[in-house]
Amino acid sequence: MSIASIVSFVVFLALVLAVAMSGAVFKPGPWYQTLDKPGWTPPNWAFPVVWSALYVMIAVAGWRVYGTAGLVGLPFAVYALQLVLNAAWSAFFFGMRRPDIAFADVILMALAIAANIALFAPIDAVAAWLLVPYLVWACIAACLNYSVWRRNPGRFRQQEAIG
């Protein structure tokens, strides 16, 4: 592996780590613990474990496509979009306590991930497949987000201003 390849891999890891920091800044905290959640909610320990693995796969996927085709416009614009939406979700849900906005965000994120998979596939099939677990987890997150939102009427900031 060349020095340039190692450097580009570190850049992709750093980029994804920056996105992951949103989850460290906007933590669930006591407010989230008091919410009514469905019985199928993953245990708290699962989130950092799953996200750590997913973030590595996201970085590797980007790095592989970059190594094959360079910084190709549309695929990397969509890659950047899904990362921005990813970072925004924690701010919306935990920071602003707006599961309605967070739900819209995670739906857009899932669509962006699906588009990213489709755009990466012709360039590097392995990179595309590395994003599939991310898409699955985003869909699970969307279902969980929606369920928590609907199970807890009156517990969120947009409703506090009205009621």
Side-chain angles (χ1 to χ4, degrees), residues 11-122:
V11 168
F12 276 96
L13 279 176
L15 175 66
V16 171
L17 179 61
V19 170
M21 293 306 294
S22 175
V25 171
F26 301 102
K27 298 178 183 176
W31 167 80
Y32 179 73
Q33 300 310 319
T34 66
L35 296 176
D36 181 26
K37 295 177 274 305
W40 51 268
T41 301
N44 290 341
W45 62 263
F47 291 96
V49 171
V50 171
W51 275 112
S52 294
L54 291 174
Y55 284 133
V56 169
M57 290 190 286
I58 295 164
V60 170
W63 174 68
R64 286 182 61 96
V65 169
Y66 176 77
T68 300
L71 202 56
V72 286
L74 185 59
F76 278 109
V78 174
Y79 184 83
L81 174 63
Q82 56 87 5
L83 288 175
V84 167
L85 291 166
N86 182 316
W89 185 89
S90 292
F92 293 142
F93 194 94
F94 298 121
M96 295 172 58
R97 297 184 182 173
R98 292 292 306 260
D100 53 341
I101 298 172
F103 180 67
D105 176 88
V106 75
I107 294 298
L108 292 173
M109 184 175 83
L111 292 171
I113 297 165
N116 209 184
I117 291 167
L119 291 166
F120 275 14

Side-chain angles (χ1 to χ4, degrees), residues 132-157:
V132 170
Y134 178 32
L135 176 59
V136 170
W137 190 252
C139 291
I140 292 167
C143 292
L144 181 59
N145 183 147
Y146 183 79
S147 181
V148 169
W149 175 28
R150 303 318 303 163
R151 288 169 167 265
N152 295 277
R155 296 287 313 273
F156 307 110
R157 289 205 175 131

Side-chain angles (χ1 to χ4, degrees), residues 3-17:
I3 296 295
S5 182
I6 293 169
V7 168
S8 65
F9 181 65
V10 169
V11 168
F12 276 96
L13 279 176
L15 175 66
V16 171
L17 179 61

